[in-house]
Amino acid sequence: MSTLVIVGAGPRGTGLLERIAANGPELLPAGLPLDIHLVDPYPPGAGRIWRYDQSPLLRMNSMAEDVTMFTDERSTIEGPVRPGPSLAEWAARSEEFAPYREVADPAVRAELRALAPTDFPTRRAQSAYLDWVFRRAVADLPPHVTVTVHRDTVRRIEGPDDGPQLVHLGDRVLTADHVALTLGHLDSGPHPRYAADAEFAARHGRFHLPPAFSADADLSGIAPGEQLVLRGFGLAFVDLVALLTEGRGGRFEQTPGGLAYRPSGREPVIHVGSRRGVPYRSKTGYRLQGPPAPLPRYFDAAAVDAVLDRPGPLELRRDFWPLMAKDIGFGHYHELFHAHPGRTTLPWEEFLAGYDAHDWHSPGLARLVAAAVPDPADRLDLERLDHPLAGLELGSDDELQRHLRDYITTDADRRADPAHSADLGAFLALLSLFGQLPRVLASGRLSARSVGEEVDEWFFGYFSYLASGPPGFRLRQLLALSEAGVVRFLGAGIRVDRDEATGTWRASGATVPGHGVTATALVEAYLPKHALARTRDPLLRELHRSGRIVEEVVTDAEHTHRSGLLTIRPADSRLLDPALDGGAHPRRTALGPHTSLRAAAAFARPRTDSPGFRQNDAAARALLRALAGVPAAALTGCR
């Protein structure tokens, strides 16, 4: 008998289990029983982030047809492809997959029955889907594999480097041949940059919230009518605003003049600003109007190999971004020329020949695009998208509110209009970059400064801004909240200062010089970024304290970058262990956003060859091969 303990039973643990079920018949001998123990204090399948027990106001930022937990014909994996339904397909085939979820309330069942492929589901609906995926994965396991779920937390792991691992739960110890850490999104103690504001709030009896997962944030300390600064304009902002408005009894109402917000009187006054000063770009609400672009074209394996063959340290912006950006542009213009040829002046083949011949930043490419695409609104300007308020100075706060409302209206209208489907072409090309980006990061060729400033800070932030924005209806709601005076915009380059004399914060932006607001509450509207040195996960904290795991550190002659991520071996996701001279631990694996393989989401858009699915498959096959070689006599099971 062999034993595997999977720590974390959310989407990542479920994805690993699905790949074990798919690969088990090939790699696990029929005469070798396997006991799998999944340990998570939250429900299996959904885990903490997607658990059913959260506000029904919280939504996904993906359409139902764009969410799957299953491999498909586009997946480049060694193991077998096991197709399965997307969230939309699962909901549409309710009779086949019923009951949706034994504990789902009537509202969730009604949502699933009415769910359209292009709807943005609630997180509760996703919870029901993930619960079903988990149960299907268990049912698909070979008959000699058993699964036991423990609603518990792992405190520590100990054991010889190449012997049984003792996994300590709250009330028992599991003995395992292998342990897989699929912990998902984790909390860390606040970064030291937030300490001064936390101490200031404590001294003056004010409210301060560091980065937190919105479903878990305690917002009760924010009083009705209180002046509140939200620093950050991404998805955390969207969720927090929903909880502070509709969540406090306000309601949106469709009127002849458009969407209006009716306050309950319990809302604070929300002042929002960020570095860019605008919300994330909203998700498109339509499908491609032309044929899919054959991606990648420029940022492919051969091109990456050619760059990696260059001598000396490499930089993302200098060496790789021109190829990446050119692929994004290819996706954009492929859709524009094929779906909207009346807005172009050249045949696609002629444009493509010129596009192939020019570098991304070259004047020649700029001239080609200007000649072939007459309307500037149809051209892709990635730099302008990154800094939409750059250089803008307005004379008053009222001007700023009007300007931002116009900007948000334009974005919401554009992303809802299939006439601008080139935006979706660019989005899909942006997703395709993750086919090669993990290999670039794993190469170790990027300078420490580039990994820190260009990858972890700029690129992933830019990706989220362009590709992980809210559904369009959230921007319509934001406009209504602005018109109602519940939300006020601060502009770009937000700055928040502490005033000890009054015990208040003073917030301002660069867009209206000299203008600022005074607030008695401050919320950091960002999702927590995991940092191993400050982790709140008891297992990682203990492994780190005992020197059995290591934070990813990139060092060169001039810089050192500490990412806060858990270092793993890319090929099979084994933990690198300092006690083994930095080698991979033969009995311990880790997968997920807390690891150094950054670009691996737990679920994916169908037919995008998800890096996360590729990682799950490789890790599952490595696990099964190792477990098949472990002598059963060495095991003692569970005690």
Side-chain angles (χ1 to χ4, degrees):
M1 177 185 294
S2 295
T3 303
L4 169 66
V5 173
I6 300 176
V7 186
R12 175 60 71 174
T14 298
L16 179 62
L17 190 68
E18 187 277 333
R19 289 288 84 201
I20 290 172
N23 286 284
E26 173 194 349
L27 298 177
L28 198 64
L32 178 65
L34 173 62
D35 285 343
I36 300 177
H37 296 264
L38 290 99
V39 186
D40 198 317
Y42 294 95
R48 173 192 174 189
I49 300 300
W50 300 100
R51 68 189 187 272
Y52 171 79
D53 183 20
Q54 58 184 299
S55 171
L57 295 173
L58 301 180
R59 297 260 185 164
M60 301 190 74
N61 69 326
S62 295
M63 294 190 296
E65 69 180 9
D66 291 338
V67 177
T68 187
M69 285 285 289
F70 297 100
T71 53
D72 54 47
E73 73 279 3
R74 294 288 301 276
S75 301
T76 54
I77 55 176
E78 186 179 354
V81 168
R82 290 280 187 89
S86 67
L87 171 55
E89 292 167 337
W90 173 75
R93 294 156 64 186
S94 58
E95 294 304 317
E96 178 182 350
F97 299 135
Y100 283 115
R101 181 186 172 99
E102 291 81 351
V103 299
D105 63 26
V108 176
R109 292 198 296 271
E111 178 191 355
L112 291 167
R113 290 192 185 100
L115 192 65
T118 55
D119 284 346
F120 291 83
T122 65
R123 294 187 192 173
R124 287 182 166 188
Q126 172 70 345
S127 179
Y129 173 63
L130 292 172
D131 171 77
W132 176 81
V133 173
F134 169 75
R135 289 186 281 113
R136 168 170 156 162
V138 173
D140 285 347
L141 288 165
H144 54 291
V145 179
T146 62
V147 173
T148 304
V149 175
H150 304 268
R151 294 288 294 272
D152 206 336
T153 299
V154 175
R155 305 293 174 179
R156 70 180 190 274
I157 301 172
E158 56 191 12
D161 297 335
D162 198 16
Q165 304 293 291
L166 302 180
V167 183
H168 294 258
L169 281 60
D171 62 351
R172 72 190 69 191
V173 177
L174 304 176
T175 303
D177 299 298
H178 204 102
V179 181
L181 310 184
T182 56
L183 295 164
H185 293 279
L186 298 171
D187 281 323
S188 300
H191 190 281
R193 72 169 65 100
Y194 303 115
D197 284 312
E199 293 164 1
F200 177 83
R203 283 197 305 276
H204 295 283
R206 305 303 191 187
F207 182 90
H208 175 257
L209 182 71
F213 292 107
S214 305
D216 301 321
D218 182 3
L219 305 175
S220 61
I222 302 172
E226 186 168 12
Q227 302 295 312
L228 163 68
V229 169
L230 284 187
R231 180 159 46 189
F233 225 152
L235 293 181
F237 159 80
V238 171
D239 290 343
L240 290 165
V241 167
L243 295 171
L244 288 167
T245 55
E246 283 188 283
R248 291 194 171 190
R251 59 187 175 85
F252 292 97
E253 181 179 295
Q254 197 65 47
T255 71
L259 190 68
Y261 181 71
R262 308 303 184 199
S264 69
R266 296 168 55 207
E267 304 90 345
V269 179
I270 302 169
H271 303 275
V272 57
S274 67
R275 181 176 62 83
R276 290 188 183 90
V278 298
Y280 281 9
R281 307 277 293 183
S282 66
K283 283 292 183 67
T284 55
Y286 48 75
R287 301 183 177 107
L288 285 176
Q289 305 301 292
L295 294 161
R297 184 176 180 88
Y298 307 101
F299 189 60
D300 59 7
V304 169
D305 286 341
V307 176
L308 292 176
D309 284 342
R310 298 175 189 170
L314 301 174
E315 307 287 334
L316 182 82
R317 294 291 286 264
R318 182 192 67 203
D319 300 304
F320 292 103
W321 177 245
L323 300 171
M324 300 163 75
K326 199 170 178 182
D327 251 348
I328 300 172
F330 174 67
H332 176 95
Y333 292 117
H334 185 279
E335 173 67 8
L336 181 69
F337 276 74
H338 286 82
H340 314 287
R343 306 208 308 259
T344 66
T345 62
L346 293 177
W348 167 246
E349 292 75 14
E350 184 177 342
F351 175 83
L352 182 59
Y355 192 84
D356 283 340
H358 294 294
D359 293 333
W360 175 251
H361 294 296
S362 69
L365 184 61
R367 288 193 296 269
L368 172 70
V369 171
V373 184
D375 188 348
D378 285 332
R379 302 172 195 162
L380 181 66
D381 187 340
L382 292 173
E383 287 70 26
R384 183 63 181 171
L385 284 171
D386 198 8
H387 305 286
L389 301 184
L392 178 67
E393 288 192 2
L394 300 174
S396 70
D397 179 52
D398 285 343
E399 282 186 71
L400 174 63
Q401 305 310 309
R402 289 194 297 271
H403 182 86
L404 262 294
R405 284 197 288 268
D406 288 344
Y407 172 91
I408 294 168
T409 299
T410 299
D411 182 51
D413 288 348
R414 181 179 177 110
R415 308 289 265 197
D417 186 354
H420 295 287
S421 63
D423 292 350
L424 180 56
F427 166 81
L428 294 172
L430 184 60
L431 290 184
S432 78
L433 301 181
F434 289 98
Q436 294 298 321
L437 187 60
R439 193 159 70 89
V440 171
L441 293 168
S443 72
R445 296 292 312 285
L446 292 180
S447 72
R449 185 202 62 79
S450 182
V451 174
E453 296 177 11
E454 297 181 340
V455 178
D456 286 347
E457 294 301 324
W458 173 73
F459 176 76
F460 281 104
Y462 191 30
F463 173 84
S464 296
Y465 165 65
L466 290 180
S468 295
F473 77 87
R474 289 296 197 197
L475 292 193
R476 306 291 184 190
Q477 292 178 343
L478 180 58
L479 289 169
L481 291 167
S482 173
E483 294 283 1
V486 175
V487 171
R488 305 284 297 177
F489 305 117
L490 289 167
I494 185 175
R495 174 173 175 168
V496 181
D497 297 308
R498 296 175 291 276
D499 185 341
E500 290 288 352
T502 61
T504 59
W505 286 280
R506 179 74 176 173
S508 59
T511 313
V512 183
H515 172 71
V517 299
T518 299
T520 52
L522 173 63
V523 169
E524 309 295 352
Y526 308 104
L527 295 176
K529 183 178 179 181
H530 185 251
L532 187 57
R534 303 191 309 276
T535 184
R536 284 179 169 157
D537 180 79
L539 173 57
L540 292 186
R541 188 166 57 239
E542 174 60 24
L543 288 171
H544 189 244
R545 184 201 62 78
S546 61
R548 300 310 303 265
I549 55 176
V550 62
E551 177 185 3
E552 181 195 50
V553 179
V554 184
T555 303
D556 57 35
E558 298 180 357
H559 297 90
T560 297
H561 171 58
R562 308 185 71 89
S563 69
L565 301 173
L566 180 64
T567 309
I568 60 173
R569 186 167 65 185
D572 56 10
S573 301
R574 294 291 168 85
L575 279 166
L576 298 190
D577 190 336
L580 301 177
D581 295 325
H585 196 292
R587 304 276 182 143
R588 299 174 183 177
T589 292
L591 304 93
H594 60 292
T595 72
S596 54
L597 193 65
R598 294 162 174 79
F603 46 84
R605 193 182 184 101
R607 290 171 291 283
T608 56
D609 192 17
S610 163
F613 295 172
R614 299 202 306 264
Q615 184 194 25
N616 289 349
D617 188 70
R621 292 179 68 83
L623 281 171
L624 289 170
R625 289 189 181 105
L627 290 169
V630 175
L635 308 177
T636 57
C638 174
R639 65 177 175 87

